[in-house]
Amino acid sequence: MLSSKIRNLFQIAINKAIAASDLGELKSFSDYIDVERCKNPDHGDIAVSIALKLSREAKLAPVKIAQSIVKHLDVVAIGDISIAGPGFINIRLNWDFLESALVEIHQEKDNYGRLSKEARADMEPHRFLIEYVSANPTGNLHLGHGRQAVLGNSLARLLDWAGYDVSSEFYINDAGVQIEKLSLSAQAAIQIQEGHITKENYPVDAYPLDSMLDVLKPEIYKAKLKGYLDAASLAGDQAKEIAGKLAKSLFLDLQKKVLADIEVHFDTWYSENENLHQVKINDKNKIELICETLKAVKVKQEDVTEHHEAGENAEIGVPLHAHEVSAVYEEDSALWFRAKSFGDERDRVLRKSQGMFTYLAGDIAYHKDKFDRGFDKLINVWGSDHHGQELGIRGAIQAIGYNPDQLELIFIQLVSVKEDGVEKKMSKRKGTIVNVDELLAEVGKDALRFFLVDSQANNRMVFDLALAQKHDKDNPVYYIQYAHARSASIFRNLVSPRINIVDNTEEAAIFEVDELERLLNEEFKTFSANFKKLFSDEYHSEEQLKTIRSLVLELIELPKLVIDAADIRAPYKISVYLKNLASLFHQFYNENRIIGENEEVMKARLSLVAASKIVIKNALSILAISAPEKM
RNA sequence: GCCCUCGUAGCUCAGCAGGAUAGAGCAAGUCAUUCCUAACGACUAGGUCGGAGGUUCAAUUCCUCUCGAGGGUGCCA
C-alpha cells in the first residue's frame, strides 16, 4: 500500500539522517509518520509533515530537518520531492508508480480494497462480535432502529473488509416485563376483534392498538387460538400466554423481514429467554449464575478517616483499614452490584425486592456469554437513550475479569424526518414515528442505506425525505450510482455496432466482446509503462492531466481508507469517499472521450474507467448499496 | 445539579492523534450540449469554524470556562 511504502522510506531516511548526525538533538525515532494527500494539488500528491513535528525535539528549524531527511530519502522510484511552506516534504508521484498502483486494481478486481491475506496475517487475531438493533419484539422497527441497523451492518461489513473476524448478532429482548405487557396487549387486541370487549377497554398502558392489529390478523390468530375464542377462554391466562407468544413471533418475523429488505443480516439471533432464562445448570439459569459469580468477586472497601488519629504523619483521606467485601450485597431486600467500585456513579440493582432480575443483570449474563463463546472484542451499537447503561455494564465486565476496553459502545443519535421542508421530531406520543418499512417503500433500499450511513453516528441527523425520494441529480446516491452506470455504458458501447451519423450506415463495433475481455483481464493487469507517455502534454491538456491525476490518486486510496475507517469504526467515511470519487469520475468523463480516440490513448483512458468502475462498485458494496450497470 | 454527545456556508454534512489558501452536495446566479447516459460539467456568490481565554513556531483541531441543542441521570427496558 502506498502510504506504508512511503512511511517505510521515510523511516529509513530518518534513521540514516540520525546516524549522520543531521538531525540535531534527535537521537532515535520510531513514531507514526503521517502520510497524507496534498490538499492543494499544486503542492504535489503526497505530503509528509514529519519535519515540522520533529522540530522541537531536534531543536532545528523544520525546513532544515526537511532538507536533511530529503538528502537521505530514496523515493526516486516513486516520484519527485520538494520542500515547501514551513517544512512540508511533498512528493509528486510519477506515472510509472501510478500505473503500477492502478494495475493492482485490475488484478484484484472485486477484492481491491479488501485487506490481503498477507496483511491479515500480521494482525492480532481478534474475534469481533457486533451487536446491533436489538429491538424488543413488541412492535415494528422505526427509523431510529433503521439507522442502528444500517450503521451496524455497514460497520460489520467494513470490519470484514479490513480483515477482521467479525460476527453480528441481534439480541432478542424476549423476557421480562415488556413481554408481559405484550401478552396483555395481544390478548386485548384479539378480544376486541372478536367483539368481546370494546376499544375503550383496551388497556391504557399497553402497546399501541394499531400496531397490534397490524400483525394480529384474524386469519392468523384464529388458527393458533382454536378453542380459546369464546369470551371466557380468551380472557384467561392461557389465552394470554398464547397470544403473547404469537405476537412475539409475528413481530420478530416482521422485524426480520424489514431488516432483510434493507440487506441487514445477522449471523445469530440471540434470544434472551431461551439462552439466559431457560438454559439451566444445576437448576440455575445464567442470570442467577452471573449473580453468584459476582458475589464471589472481592472488592476492596475502604474505611476512610473516621478512626483516623490526628498526628504529624496522618494524611487526611488515606484509608486506615482496607478490607475485602463481595461485589454484590443485599439491601432493602434487593440485590445490588457494587458498580461504584468499578467506576459507575452509584451502585446498581441486579435483583429487585420483588424477586425479578433487572435488565442489567440479564445484560451482564449476556455479555459474559459473548466472551464465553470466544469473542474478545465486543462492539455494541446502541441508541443514545441507552447511554446511562454504559458504566454499569462496563463495571460488571471488569468485575468478572475482563478488560473494560474489550467492550466498545457506539451510541446512535436520533433521526428526525424532514418532510415538506418541516422537520418532525419522532415522538411516540405525537404519533410521528416513522417506520423503516414505510420509508423503504418511499425511497428504496439504496437511498435509505446511503442516507442513514452518511453521517457520523454521534451526530443527530435529519432525514430529508424529499431529497431521498428524488430519482435525479440532487440525490447523492444516484450521483454515485450514475458514475458507475456511465462507466458500464462505455463498455457496452465499445462492443456495440455504431451508427455513422453522416450517412446513417452501420459501422462495426470498436471491440469484439472477447477483445474487450482480453483487454480487461489481461492487458490492464500488466504494467506496460506507457502511461508516462500517454498521460503527458502530448495527448492531454494541463486541465485533463490534473483531473486524471486526482482520479488515480483517489482510486488507489481505497485500501488505506478501508483500514482507517474500520479502525475508527466510521462507515460514513466510505460514503464521503464515494461522493468525492464520483465527482472526480464525472469530471474525468466530461473532459476525456474514450470512443473515437486513437487506440493507445483510448486504452489508457479506458484503463481508468475500468478501474473507477471496480473501485466504485467495491466501495458501494461495503455499504451494501447496489452498483447498477444501467440507469 | 451532575455525566455524555453535538455546534463549521441559507440547508445537509466533510475536514480535527495541531500544519500550507477550511471543502463537497443542495438551494441562488451565470455559462456550456450536433459527440461514450445532461441523473453530467465549468464558473460566481456565500464562513469572525457558537463565544471568550489558554497551551504552541502553528489551533476549526488540544485544554479551561461560557452559551445553545439533544440524550442520560429508576428496584423501566
Side-chain angles (χ1 to χ4, degrees):
Chain A
M1 205 185 314
L2 174 61
S3 54
S4 50
K5 267 180 205 165
I6 291 177
R7 197 167 295 129
N8 288 340
L9 291 169
F10 269 82
Q11 180 68 54
I12 292 166
I14 292 170
N15 289 346
K16 283 185 185 168
I18 290 172
S21 306
D22 280 349
L23 291 184
E25 300 190 11
L26 191 73
K27 294 292 173 266
S28 72
F29 177 80
S30 62
D31 286 355
Y32 184 82
I33 300 170
D34 230 350
V35 175
E36 45 198 335
R37 287 271 297 283
C38 285
K39 283 173 195 151
N40 182 341
D42 293 337
H43 292 142
D45 299 325
I46 301 293
V48 179
S49 59
I50 192 68
L52 294 152
K53 293 187 168 62
L54 291 179
S55 170
R56 180 184 310 204
E57 208 181 325
K59 296 206 174 138
L60 284 172
V63 177
K64 277 250 162 68
I65 297 174
Q67 285 163 348
S68 302
I69 294 174
V70 166
K71 201 162 80 184
H72 298 278
L73 197 59
D74 177 27
V75 292
V76 183
I78 292 179
D80 301 324
I81 307 169
S82 59
I83 296 170
F88 289 96
I89 300 172
N90 294 323
I91 303 171
R92 166 83 55 189
L93 299 169
N94 64 37
W95 273 111
D96 280 354
F97 178 82
L98 292 176
E99 183 176 354
S100 68
L102 210 60
V103 161
E104 280 178 32
I105 300 177
H106 290 293
Q107 286 171 346
E108 295 179 29
K109 279 251 165 72
D110 291 350
N111 283 318
Y112 184 73
R114 218 178 247 287
L115 207 68
S116 67
K117 286 209 179 76
E118 303 82 72
R120 210 179 286 240
D122 293 343
M123 293 193 322
E124 288 181 71
H126 287 304
R127 285 191 67 205
F128 281 84
L129 181 68
I130 170 163
E131 177 212 328
Y132 58 102
V133 187
S134 299
N136 296 340
T138 56
N140 204 340
L141 297 176
H142 58 67
L143 196 49
H145 294 127
R147 192 179 186 201
Q148 292 170 37
V150 169
L151 279 170
N153 181 253
S154 301
L155 178 57
R157 287 165 169 276
L158 181 60
L159 289 168
D160 177 52
W161 272 74
Y164 293 104
D165 179 354
V166 52
S167 196
S168 52
E169 182 158 282
F170 185 114
Y171 182 52
I172 307 167
N173 213 212
D174 55 358
V177 295
Q178 75 281 4
I179 289 298
E180 194 56 31
K181 182 170 154 186
L182 179 69
S183 302
L184 191 74
S185 312
Q187 182 183 35
I190 295 171
Q191 285 173 306
I192 288 170
Q193 294 188 83
E194 288 296 308
H196 301 323
I197 62 169
T198 62
K199 285 192 181 183
E200 286 70 41
N201 289 318
Y202 188 73
V204 276
D205 58 344
Y207 289 108
L209 179 58
D210 288 345
S211 81
M212 289 294 145
L213 295 177
D214 277 348
V215 293
L216 285 167
K217 304 242 162 61
E219 63 269 25
I220 294 170
Y221 71 71
K222 275 188 199 294
K224 291 272 174 195
L225 282 153
K226 215 178 272 175
Y228 289 96
L229 289 166
D230 58 283
S233 321
L234 254 187
D237 281 347
Q238 199 153 9
K240 183 166 101 176
E241 202 190 318
I242 298 172
K245 273 191 181 162
L246 177 62
K248 182 176 108 179
S249 74
L250 290 172
F251 278 124
L252 194 57
D253 287 347
L254 178 65
Q255 293 180 355
K256 284 184 178 177
K257 186 190 175 305
V258 171
L259 290 167
D261 285 346
I262 56 173
E263 276 186 52
V264 171
H265 303 285
F266 293 89
D267 296 304
T268 42
W269 293 77
Y270 188 97
S271 158
E272 176 189 358
N273 182 41
E274 286 167 28
N275 292 290
L276 302 181
H277 293 258
Q278 312 228 320
V279 175
K280 294 195 177 174
I281 299 166
N282 297 331
D283 214 33
K284 291 199 169 114
N285 69 29
K286 288 193 179 166
I287 299 177
E288 291 162 324
L289 287 169
I290 197 72
C291 290
E292 293 196 348
T293 305
L294 284 169
K295 200 169 190 174
V297 173
K298 295 294 174 209
V299 188
K300 270 210 184 99
Q301 188 74 359
E302 296 168 345
D303 292 335
V304 191
T305 59
E306 246 179 84
H307 312 289
H308 232 280
E309 288 168 36
E312 215 173 303
N313 299 321
E315 290 175 54
I316 307 291
V318 170
L320 272 188
H321 313 285
H323 62 275
E324 295 203 323
V325 292
S326 167
V328 298
Y329 61 93
E330 298 230 12
E331 194 175 293
D332 303 330
S333 64
L335 187 70
W336 293 74
F337 166 53
R338 232 177 267 281
K340 204 172 174 190
S341 304
F342 295 96
D344 204 344
E345 51 203 16
R346 56 181 186 78
D347 292 346
R348 305 276 169 181
V349 172
L350 295 173
R351 197 190 60 231
K352 304 179 216 171
S353 53
Q354 303 294 326
M356 277 184 88
F357 286 101
T358 58
Y359 182 84
L360 175 66
D363 219 23
I364 298 170
Y366 175 42
H367 283 78
K368 166 79 161 47
D369 191 59
K370 290 180 180 180
F371 286 123
D372 287 346
R373 283 184 280 154
F375 298 104
D376 62 343
K377 286 270 186 188
L378 311 182
I379 300 180
N380 293 358
V381 177
W382 280 355
S384 61
D385 53 333
H386 288 68
H387 184 254
Q389 291 163 232
E390 174 167 6
L391 293 176
I393 189 72
R394 228 181 247 295
I397 281 172
Q398 197 181 344
I400 58 176
Y402 295 94
N403 185 337
D405 292 343
Q406 287 178 266
L407 175 68
E408 284 178 41
L409 295 175
I410 296 174
F411 292 102
I412 309 274
Q413 295 264 353
L414 292 176
V415 185
S416 56
V417 175
K418 193 163 110 183
E419 206 174 346
D420 306 323
V422 186
E423 189 180 332
K424 285 186 190 164
K425 276 189 192 160
M426 297 226 298
S427 151
K428 277 182 191 158
R429 221 165 10 89
K430 290 179 191 157
T432 51
I433 293 275
V434 178
N435 287 333
V436 176
D437 49 3
E438 295 170 320
L439 208 56
L440 179 63
E442 300 263 7
V443 307
K445 186 258 300 179
D446 289 339
L448 183 66
R449 284 198 66 124
F450 187 88
F451 274 77
L452 290 179
V453 83
D454 191 35
S455 65
Q456 290 190 62
N458 46 11
N459 277 358
R460 284 207 315 284
M461 78 163 289
V462 179
F463 193 101
D464 188 334
L465 189 61
L467 182 60
Q469 266 175 318
K470 278 191 181 175
H471 284 220
D472 65 22
K473 58 180 174 175
D474 298 347
N475 190 333
V477 192
Y478 288 87
Y479 180 81
I480 294 161
Q481 290 181 321
Y482 182 44
H484 185 267
R486 266 182 144 178
S487 63
S489 159
I490 293 174
F491 289 103
R492 272 198 306 278
N493 286 313
L494 283 168
V495 293
S496 307
R498 298 183 301 154
I499 305 293
N500 188 321
I501 310 162
V502 185
D503 53 12
N504 210 26
T505 53
E506 194 168 283
E507 291 179 359
I510 292 169
F511 289 120
E512 295 298 324
V513 174
D514 56 348
E515 272 184 300
L516 184 63
E517 288 293 308
R518 199 192 58 77
L519 199 63
L520 291 173
N521 294 321
E522 292 173 35
E523 206 166 309
F524 287 169
K525 287 185 180 178
T526 56
F527 177 64
S528 59
N530 65 356
F531 276 20
K532 201 191 316 184
K533 176 181 132 204
L534 294 168
F535 289 131
S536 70
D537 52 13
E538 196 179 333
Y539 299 97
H540 291 89
S541 70
E542 200 179 317
E543 198 189 353
Q544 280 173 308
L545 288 174
K546 211 167 165 176
T547 307
I548 288 168
R549 183 174 278 274
S550 303
L551 177 61
V552 174
L553 287 167
E554 196 71 12
L555 289 172
I556 65 178
E557 186 83 359
L558 184 68
K560 180 179 189 291
L561 175 74
V562 166
I563 290 168
D564 288 351
D567 276 352
I568 60 167
R569 320 283 187 241
Y572 78 92
K573 292 262 182 198
I574 306 292
S575 69
V576 171
Y577 169 76
L578 274 164
K579 286 191 273 193
N580 278 329
L581 178 57
S583 167
L584 283 166
F585 178 80
H586 286 306
Q587 198 180 330
F588 167 78
Y589 180 95
N590 277 286
E591 289 171 2
N592 299 276
R593 283 197 58 81
I594 310 292
I595 294 170
E597 294 295 327
N598 87 59
E599 189 169 337
E600 272 194 315
V601 173
M602 174 178 70
K603 282 185 180 173
R605 289 181 186 167
L606 201 53
S607 164
L608 292 190
V609 175
S612 304
K613 186 166 180 280
I614 292 167
V615 173
I616 292 171
K617 188 178 172 194
N618 290 1
L620 282 171
S621 116
I622 296 172
L623 303 178
I625 296 173
S626 58
E629 295 287 310
K630 221 179 212 180
M631 287 174 78

